[in-house]
Amino acid sequence: LRRWQAVPAGTLEAKAQAKDLAKLRDELIVFRRMLNSEAARLAQKMGDQEALALLEIDKRPWVELSEDEQGQDPFKGSLLGPFKHATEGSSYYYDLEAREFVWIVEEGREVLTVEELRELVRTAGQQVIAVLGPGGGNADDVY
């Protein structure tokens, strides 16, 4: 999600995706809070105060991550898109690492689409609910 939020602000591309990304961010925050709430409860029960500090939700944008943190991104090197050109009808993509839009996807280069991102968030939510079990957290508001 952080990668998609790094599409340059003020561009038509960022504006077009803003509503979808905001909804996905909200869902992800709900799932993260559900999981962190249970983890905090267990850490407190065990008297592990250091673990509580690790549960803080990292809301830093992409540009504030260190080079090492960016390098650990599982989608490192993946293009974002596709975006539709308004007049030509062709597709183009955003290369986050190079900070530029590109028209051609090189062979072997992955593309992270909004649809794939949506599925990743949905899967994460299902996994959180599976870990917490019935009645563990309140996911009814999300789905």
Side-chain angles (χ1 to χ4, degrees):
L1 183 62
R2 195 180 330 233
R3 289 184 73 83
W4 267 95
Q5 291 173 320
V7 172
T11 62
L12 293 175
E13 294 82 4
K15 290 176 185 176
Q17 303 299 336
K19 192 174 183 180
D20 283 342
L21 294 179
K23 184 178 185 299
L24 290 172
R25 183 190 64 239
D26 291 347
E27 289 178 20
L28 197 56
I29 287 172
V30 167
F31 296 137
R32 184 75 188 263
R33 285 184 177 153
M34 289 168 56
L35 189 60
N36 281 2
S37 176
E38 179 63 11
R41 185 188 71 76
L42 293 173
Q44 200 164 23
K45 183 178 177 180
M46 297 173 64
D48 189 351
Q49 297 302 318
E50 291 178 14
L52 292 173
L54 295 175
L55 298 174
E56 290 289 320
I57 296 176
D58 186 354
K59 297 180 181 177
R60 294 176 297 158
W62 178 262
V63 295
E64 290 182 14
L65 297 179
S66 70
E67 194 173 305
D68 185 51
E69 290 171 315
Q70 289 179 2
Q72 293 175 25
D73 186 318
F75 299 100
K76 178 183 176 187
S78 294
L79 298 174
L80 303 174
F83 301 104
K84 295 290 181 197
H85 192 276
T87 57
E88 295 180 22
S90 58
S91 296
Y92 60 103
Y93 306 85
Y94 186 66
D95 183 338
L96 181 58
E97 281 76 16
R99 295 184 180 156
E100 64 183 5
F101 289 97
V102 297
W103 294 91
I104 298 170
V105 178
E106 298 166 354
E107 189 174 332
R109 189 96 186 253
E110 298 291 325
V111 175
L112 178 61
T113 67
V114 171
E115 292 77 20
E116 289 171 322
L117 179 61
R118 189 176 294 115
E119 187 57 34
L120 288 168
V121 170
R122 185 176 311 281
T123 299
Q126 291 169 342
Q127 290 173 342
V128 167
I129 292 167
V131 166
L132 297 180
N138 185 7
D140 295 335
D141 298 337
V142 179
Y143 291 116

